[in-house]
Amino acid sequence: MWMAGWLTATLGMTVAGRQLAQEISVFEVMLFRSVIATLILTPIVMLNGGLRGRLSQLRYHVARNTIHYAGQYLWFSALLLIPLAEVIAIEFTMPLWIAVLATAFLAERMYGAKITALIIGFAGVLMIVKPGALATPGHLVALAAALLFAGSVTLTKFITRRDSALTVIFMMFAMQTVIGAVPTWLAWVTPPAGALPWIAIVA
């Protein structure tokens, strides 16, 4: 159920992000998302005791959120370069890369059923995105985003051994607000009124 919720939210953000990125910069889309999410989450975090005693893994949060920010930028950029279905299909190679990284760094096992599922899933991606098309810039950008997201998720799995999901998500949006402030300022375009509903969906 959690994964179904994630998928629904991701698809909504994909459609809204594609629309927004045609009117304002990708950096701006990302900053709106981070700022609004931080404002939403701050009172929830405070009601749950704040961040006191929850920052023992700060360096891992910094690494995770820097990797995620780069992946997010590439992902939003890919939405402008190739068809939506192909961006999503390539993004869903992420479990393949996560499985490899988790085996290498988190000592998780790669057993027969998991290998079979990954092969079938990758074959499904190739049915949507023809192998010859993967050499285009847009497809390479989407693939790089999937790889960076896989690294981010692998770090998340490690971090959540000690920190709660609420701490992880709050730190992500708070840190990415700081990371994105300068590039957004340099690329700022005032969004039209019609973009506000899309901003709300992304956030």
Side-chain angles (χ1 to χ4, degrees):
M1 288 178 64
W2 282 114
M3 288 304 297
W6 169 81
L7 179 59
T8 302
T10 297
L11 293 176
M13 187 176 67
T14 300
V15 174
R18 185 182 181 92
Q19 181 67 30
L20 268 179
Q22 296 175 11
E23 302 185 44
I24 59 178
S25 74
V26 171
F27 288 121
E28 206 168 333
V29 174
M30 293 162 61
L31 186 72
F32 277 124
R33 176 175 182 251
S34 296
V35 169
I36 296 172
T38 301
L39 293 174
I40 292 171
L41 288 169
T42 295
I44 300 173
V45 170
M46 298 307 294
L47 287 171
N48 283 272
L51 294 175
R52 185 169 50 190
R54 301 185 185 184
L55 299 180
S56 59
Q57 301 189 97
L58 184 59
R59 64 185 183 279
Y60 297 120
H61 284 285
V62 171
R64 179 210 179 252
N65 293 318
T66 301
I67 292 170
H68 185 272
Y69 186 87
Q72 186 177 238
Y73 177 81
L74 292 176
W75 181 77
F76 275 119
S77 298
L79 291 176
L80 298 174
L81 298 173
I82 58 176
L84 191 59
E86 295 184 8
V87 174
I88 294 173
I90 294 173
E91 182 185 4
F92 285 172
T93 64
M94 185 171 62
L96 171 64
W97 314 124
I98 291 171
V100 172
L101 290 171
T103 301
F105 297 106
L106 299 179
E108 293 195 2
R109 294 179 57 199
M110 182 75 78
Y111 47 86
K114 184 182 287 188
I115 294 172
T116 302
L118 291 173
I119 292 172
I120 293 172
F122 192 68
V125 171
L126 294 180
M127 290 176 65
I128 298 172
V129 184
K130 301 299 185 290
L134 288 173
T136 67
H139 292 91
L140 292 175
V141 168
L143 183 59
L147 287 166
L148 288 168
F149 281 149
S152 170
V153 170
T154 304
L155 271 169
T156 302
K157 183 69 180 285
F158 177 79
I159 292 170
T160 50
R161 290 175 175 177
R162 293 171 59 185
D163 287 345
S164 69
L166 179 60
T167 298
V168 172
I169 200 73
F170 176 79
M171 293 299 291
M172 180 182 82
F173 289 123
M175 286 185 175
Q176 290 187 3
T177 296
V178 176
I179 293 170
V182 172
T184 300
W185 177 67
L186 293 173
W188 178 262
V189 175
T190 302
L196 297 180
W198 297 116
I199 291 174
I201 293 172
V202 167

